[in-house]
Amino acid sequence: MSEPMKLSLRVKAPLKNVHHALTDPAELRTWLAEHAEVDLPDRFGFWGRYTPEGDRPRQRLLHADDHVLRFVWRLDDEDTTVELALEEEAPDATVVRYTQTNVPGWQAAVMEENHRALMHTFWALALANLADHLEGRPLTGFCDFTSPEMRNQVHIDAPPQAVYDSLMKPEEFRRWFGANVDIEPRVGGRFAMGGFDLDPHPATIVDLEPGRRCSLRWSDDMTSSWELEGSDGGTRLTFVQSGFDEGNPSYGSWMGWLSGVAELRRYHEIPDWRPLWLEVHLEGVPEGMLSYE
C-alpha cells in the first residue's frame, strides 16, 4: 500500500480563522467548492463543478474538533481518508498539515489514470486558495471539471519583465515553483521539469517573444502558453492549456500550473516572501526533482 500523500503549509491567519474556513459552508464555497454542506459533528460535504466526481457529495465525516478535520472521500469507488490538522505557530500564523490515504503515487498522477490521481494537484491548488483567502488576497482560480476549456488570467503586482524573468530564468523558476527545472530560452529549446537529467521527454519551446510570451509543446502534443501585458502598474498574466484530448482533459496538469501561478503571485507581491509550502511528500517523485524538501 502506498504511503499517504502529505502537504504542509503556513497560513498567515489565526488558528480559529483557519478552522472556520475549513468548517463553515459559506467559507468552503469561497475557496474550495461550488457547493458545501456542514453540520458538525454529523455531516461534512462538498461537491460541484470544481470537485472531481462532483455530481454529489462523496464525503463521510469521521472526526472534527478545534484542531483536526478527518473525513472519508470516496473516489473511483474506493475510500480515501483526508485529514487536515491545524497547529498554531504564532497568534497570527497557523500550520496546516494535509494527508490523504489511498492516493496513487507520482507516476500515476502524471499519467492522470483516475480521479484519485488528481488529488496531488487538486489539494495544492485548493490549499493555495485557502491561504490567499485567509490572507485577504484574490484567489488564483479553480479548475472546472465540467469544461475542457483551460484559460486563466490573473493580475500580478510586478513589472512584466520581472514576471518574465521568473518564468524563464531557471534559478528564479526553481525558487517559486518548488521544483527543479532546466530551460533553454529560445525557439526549439528544451523546457525540462526536474532538469534535463530527470526528464527524458522535455517540452519544446515553440513560440517565444522575450519579455512577453512563451508556448511549450509537451511530448503528448499538449501546449502550455502564457502571455504578459502591462496593466495598472503591474502585469496581466494569461495562461492557456490546449492541444489535449477534450474527451479526457488534462485537469491534473492544469491544476498544477494554477497552483504554481498562485505561488508566482505570492513570490512577487508578498514582502519578505517565503515558500508557502513547508513539506511536500509525493510517493515516487525522483530524488532531486522537488526543491521544497
Side-chain angles (χ1 to χ4, degrees), residues 68-238:
V68 176
L69 176 68
R70 187 182 307 116
F71 56 91
V72 171
W73 185 358
R74 192 161 180 82
L75 293 163
D76 306 314
D77 290 326
E78 295 194 33
D79 285 348
T80 74
T81 300
V82 177
E83 180 174 289
L84 295 162
L86 309 182
E87 175 186 327
E88 184 177 73
E89 186 178 64
D92 63 345
T94 304
V95 173
V96 181
R97 302 191 188 278
Y98 150 85
T99 63
Q100 187 167 2
T101 65
N102 196 18
V103 174
W106 174 80
Q107 191 60 46
V110 171
M111 300 300 294
E112 300 185 34
E113 295 177 347
N114 51 41
H115 292 96
R116 289 177 296 121
L118 299 177
M119 293 296 99
H120 296 266
T121 52
F122 173 83
W123 283 106
L125 176 59
L127 293 173
N129 278 340
L130 170 67
D132 281 335
H133 169 61
L134 286 164
E135 295 170 13
R137 296 168 45 79
L139 303 191
T140 294
F142 298 91
C143 175
D144 186 344
F145 293 95
T146 67
S147 171
E149 182 179 8
M150 298 185 187
R151 184 179 188 276
N152 185 262
Q153 190 173 86
V154 297
H155 179 86
I156 301 175
D157 190 16
Q161 187 62 49
V163 178
Y164 178 85
D165 289 345
S166 62
L167 287 163
M168 294 303 295
K169 290 185 175 181
E171 63 275 13
E172 279 205 57
F173 191 101
R174 294 181 191 116
R175 288 194 68 205
W176 63 266
F177 196 78
N180 292 319
V181 65
D182 283 330
I183 304 171
E184 296 171 336
R186 55 178 173 78
V187 173
R190 295 173 295 170
F191 184 102
M193 296 300 298
F196 295 141
D197 292 339
L198 294 179
D199 188 350
H201 304 292
T204 301
I205 297 176
V206 295
D207 182 42
L208 181 66
E209 182 179 337
R212 187 163 184 269
R213 68 173 187 265
C214 179
S215 292
L216 308 172
R217 182 167 297 152
W218 304 90
S219 59
D220 59 1
D221 288 332
M222 186 173 68
T223 300
S224 303
S225 303
W226 51 261
E227 185 171 329
L228 309 174
E229 183 179 354
S231 174
D232 297 328
T235 301
R236 181 186 299 115
L237 167 63
T238 302

Side-chain angles (χ1 to χ4, degrees), residues 5-75:
M5 181 179 131
K6 300 177 183 179
L7 297 173
S8 299
L9 66 155
R10 178 187 295 107
V11 179
K12 295 291 290 181
L15 188 148
K16 67 176 182 179
N17 293 14
V18 182
H19 182 269
H20 182 67
L22 292 176
T23 56
D24 179 82
E27 290 282 286
L28 290 166
R29 290 191 290 268
T30 299
W31 66 270
L32 178 63
E34 184 180 18
H35 306 294
E37 288 185 353
V38 180
D39 184 14
L40 301 181
D42 300 314
R43 186 169 74 251
F44 177 88
F46 55 90
W47 71 101
R49 57 187 171 139
Y50 305 139
T51 304
E53 288 197 294
D55 57 316
R56 57 183 172 85
R58 297 174 182 270
Q59 298 79 30
R60 174 168 52 87
L61 186 63
L62 296 176
H63 176 83
D65 60 28
D66 291 344
H67 291 81
V68 176
L69 176 68
R70 187 182 307 116
F71 56 91
V72 171
W73 185 358
R74 192 161 180 82
L75 293 163

